[in-house]
Amino acid sequence: MNAIISASELADALRSERPPVLLDVRWQLSTAAAAGEPFDGRAAYASGHVPGAVFVDLDRELASAPGARGRHPLPDLDVFGAAMRRAGVSAGTPVVAYDGGIGWAAARAWWLLRWTGHPDVRVLDGGLPAWEGPLETEAPTPAEGDFVPEPAGSGVLDADGAAALARAGVLLDARAGERYRGEVEPIDPVGGHIPGAVSAPTSDNVDADGRFRPAAELRARFGRLGATPDAPVGVYCGSGVSAAHEVLALEIAGIPAALYVGSWSEWSSDPARPVAVGPDPQ
C-alpha cells in the first residue's frame, strides 16, 4: 500500500462507502510563530480543518513528556491508544493524517500507528495546503474506535542501537546540514552528529510544494547515501519527528528503516557519548 495519498484521492476516499478517519496533527518545531505567540495547533484546527478531521496533539498524545529520553520520547501507549480511539480509529478503519504542510507531524502519527500495528495509514501529500475542498470549523464527535496499540518488536532504535547501526549499517541524520556539521545548534546542548551517521536532510525528500519526490528519485537519493533495501537502515533527527518523515520517504522508496526516537536530543544530553563535527561522518 502507498504510504501517502493525494488531495484528490482523499476527496474520493471521503465520498466512498469506507471513508478514512482523518487526523489533523498541526504542529510547529519553533517555539513561537511569527507574531511572537507560541504556535497553537488546536487553535489552527478550530479556525478551519478538513471536514470530519479530529485534532491530535503531538506533544501530549504522540509523545510523552521531555526528559532524559529526549524532547519527544515515545508516548504512553494508554494515552496514545485513547487518543486514537477518541478520533474514531479502529483496527479495520483506514486512517489519513495531515498537518500544516511540512509533513513531519503527520509522519509521526503515521509511524506510531504503523509501529503499533495499524495496517492502513497514509499521510496527505502536501498537507492541508494541498487540500482544495471546503474546510469546517466545527469539531466532529466520531464514534469511539477500537484500536489497541501493540508495538512491533523491531523498527525502533535506542542510543546503543543507533551507535551500532552507524558502524554496521546506514544511520541517516535527517536534520539540516549545518546542524549535522555542528556549525549551529539552536536547541540541543551540543552541535554535531553521531559518529558514522550520514547527513540526509529531510528537506531533500520533497519538492518546492512540499510534496514527496517520486519513488524512483527517492530511491536514487538514498542509494547515493548507501541506503538500499538490502542494508540495515536507521534514521534520527533532533527529537524523532522529522526523522519519521524520512522513514516515510524511505518507505515510499521501498527501503525499510528503523527510527531512533530519542534522536539528537537524547544523544547529546549525555556528555559521555561521542560527538562528531564537520561534513565527514566519522
Side-chain angles (χ1 to χ4, degrees):
M1 179 189 303
N2 198 341
I4 56 175
I5 184 171
S6 70
S8 61
E9 290 171 333
L10 176 58
D12 290 341
L14 291 173
R15 291 191 292 265
S16 72
E17 295 181 357
R18 189 167 170 258
V21 170
L22 289 178
L23 307 179
D24 184 310
V25 202
R26 271 178 277 182
W27 171 87
Q28 283 186 6
L29 174 64
S30 59
T31 57
E37 298 293 330
F39 178 76
D40 187 340
R42 194 176 296 275
Y45 167 83
S47 70
H49 51 268
V50 178
V54 175
F55 179 73
V56 175
D57 190 318
L58 185 148
D59 290 317
R60 294 175 175 82
E61 296 171 323
L62 303 184
S64 52
R69 293 180 298 132
R71 280 192 306 280
H72 291 104
L74 287 171
D76 179 283
L77 290 180
D78 289 339
V79 172
F80 172 64
M84 294 299 99
R85 291 189 293 274
R86 172 185 58 83
V89 175
S90 292
T93 306
V95 179
V96 173
Y98 71 87
D99 56 27
I102 196 169
W104 295 0
R108 173 79 174 214
W110 167 85
W111 180 84
L112 275 167
L113 280 165
R114 288 287 301 274
W115 179 64
T116 55
H118 199 288
D120 189 352
V121 191
R122 287 181 284 180
V123 166
L124 175 59
D125 196 17
L128 188 62
W131 176 253
E132 297 180 350
L135 300 177
E136 68 178 14
T137 56
E138 183 176 350
T141 54
E144 183 87 359
D146 63 16
F147 178 68
V148 177
E150 297 181 2
S154 60
V156 175
L157 297 170
D158 60 12
D160 290 341
L165 188 60
R167 294 189 300 268
V170 180
L171 182 64
L172 301 177
D173 184 318
R175 298 172 301 158
E178 56 268 27
R179 292 184 69 191
Y180 170 88
R181 295 187 296 271
E183 296 166 359
V184 298
E185 183 43 67
I187 305 172
D188 294 310
V190 63
H193 58 271
I194 297 174
V198 178
S199 181
T202 301
S203 57
D204 291 346
N205 295 331
V206 297
D207 61 19
D209 294 325
R211 292 177 174 84
F212 281 97
R213 298 187 184 280
E217 287 187 22
L218 291 170
R219 196 174 305 115
R221 181 214 175 191
F222 291 123
R224 290 190 293 270
L225 299 173
T228 66
D230 299 325
V233 178
V235 187
Y236 75 96
C237 58
S239 65
V241 179
S242 66
H245 187 276
E246 191 113 299
V247 173
L248 175 56
L250 285 155
E251 174 85 2
I252 295 169
I255 303 169
L259 177 65
Y260 175 22
V261 180
S263 284
W264 190 248
S265 59
E266 178 188 39
W267 183 276
S268 63
S269 68
D270 184 348
R273 294 192 183 106
V275 172
V277 295
D280 192 313
Q282 301 301 331

